[in-house]
Amino acid sequence: YNTPMNGSKGSSQEQIAFQYNSGSPDFNCCQANAARGLGELSQWGVLTNNTDLYLNYYGPSHAHSYTPAGNPITIHQETNYPKDGAIKITLDLEQNETFNFNLRIPVWAMQGNTLKINGESVSGLVPGEYYTMNREWKNGDTLELNLDIAVHYWVGEKNFAGKTSVYYGPILLAYDTNYNFLPASGATLQTSDLENMKVVDGSEEGCWLF
């Protein structure tokens, strides 16, 4: 339940005794809400109103929704995200329609983000904001979004001063004691180590991210 930046996870029965259950002492509310969060992805992944359609979720998918005028639309995504930032989006529309299509540009994607609409490059992608495209959308229109996936840091403050969380794109990295021994003092990382980090599919040894 409590996973502080020093990496030492405390047991529920010790950290939050009010949730202790003799039948399942390690169970807590966050575990129960995890399934709820997965279910609510469908409500957040694609949003629409009477003028705009917003794409929030990135990942291999076929999302069925409705345009601002109420016409069916399917948004196809071909991507290995979040292993890399290349995302191909294809629109499946029953009829042409003009509306604002908004792509979420994550705040961590700090530089080097690119977007092509039907092969034509556009500019003005701002991290932490939506990129809005107003045009007549047609069946088969494609968008090629490439987000800057890189190592970045969240530096601790106050009680966590001197500690840092390390991210690869949207992924918070965690030290896995199944593969490595974590000393009592924690892990000390050199920036040069992270800059040379490689991402693999888990078939190699000594990789930073499975």
Side-chain angles (χ1 to χ4, degrees), residues 46 53 55-59 61 63 73-79 85-92 101-105 114-119 133 137-138 140-147:
V46 179
L53 188 147
L55 180 60
N56 289 312
Y57 175 79
Y58 296 128
S61 58
I73 183 174
T74 301
I75 302 173
H76 305 279
Q77 293 190 51
E78 300 173 61
T79 179
I87 305 165
K88 182 180 180 181
I89 301 164
T90 305
L91 303 183
D92 186 350
F101 188 22
N102 302 272
L103 293 179
R104 180 179 64 88
I105 309 302
T114 62
L115 175 64
K116 292 182 180 180
I117 305 174
N118 294 330
M133 300 156 283
W137 297 100
K138 302 176 181 179
D141 280 347
T142 60
L143 300 95
E144 297 171 83
L145 176 64
N146 202 318
L147 297 173

Side-chain angles (χ1 to χ4, degrees), residues 7-142:
S8 300
K9 184 177 186 296
S11 62
S12 297
Q13 59 265 43
E14 295 174 354
Q15 300 275 327
I16 48 172
F18 66 91
Q19 291 193 13
Y20 181 82
N21 185 311
S22 59
S24 54
D26 292 317
F27 191 78
N28 58 59
C29 61
C30 281
Q31 292 165 311
N33 281 323
R36 175 185 174 185
L38 290 173
E40 289 187 348
L41 278 176
S42 63
Q43 299 179 26
W44 168 84
V46 179
L47 299 174
T48 187
N49 57 28
N50 60 359
T51 59
D52 291 70
L53 188 147
Y54 297 85
L55 180 60
N56 289 312
Y57 175 79
Y58 296 128
S61 58
H62 307 285
H64 306 285
S65 187
Y66 294 92
T67 66
N71 297 311
I73 183 174
T74 301
I75 302 173
H76 305 279
Q77 293 190 51
E78 300 173 61
T79 179
N80 289 320
Y81 180 90
K83 184 177 180 181
D84 61 55
I87 305 165
K88 182 180 180 181
I89 301 164
T90 305
L91 303 183
D92 186 350
L93 286 158
E94 291 190 359
Q95 62 185 70
N96 299 351
E97 183 178 331
T98 300
F99 57 87
N100 294 327
F101 188 22
N102 302 272
L103 293 179
R104 180 179 64 88
I105 309 302
V107 69
W108 48 258
M110 296 304 296
Q111 58 187 357
N113 305 306
T114 62
L115 175 64
K116 292 182 180 180
I117 305 174
N118 294 330
E120 296 185 10
S121 297
V122 299
S123 60
L125 281 68
V126 180
E129 298 183 7
Y130 285 102
Y131 183 79
T132 302
M133 300 156 283
N134 180 271
R135 58 185 288 150
E136 182 184 35
W137 297 100
K138 302 176 181 179
N139 185 51
D141 280 347
T142 60

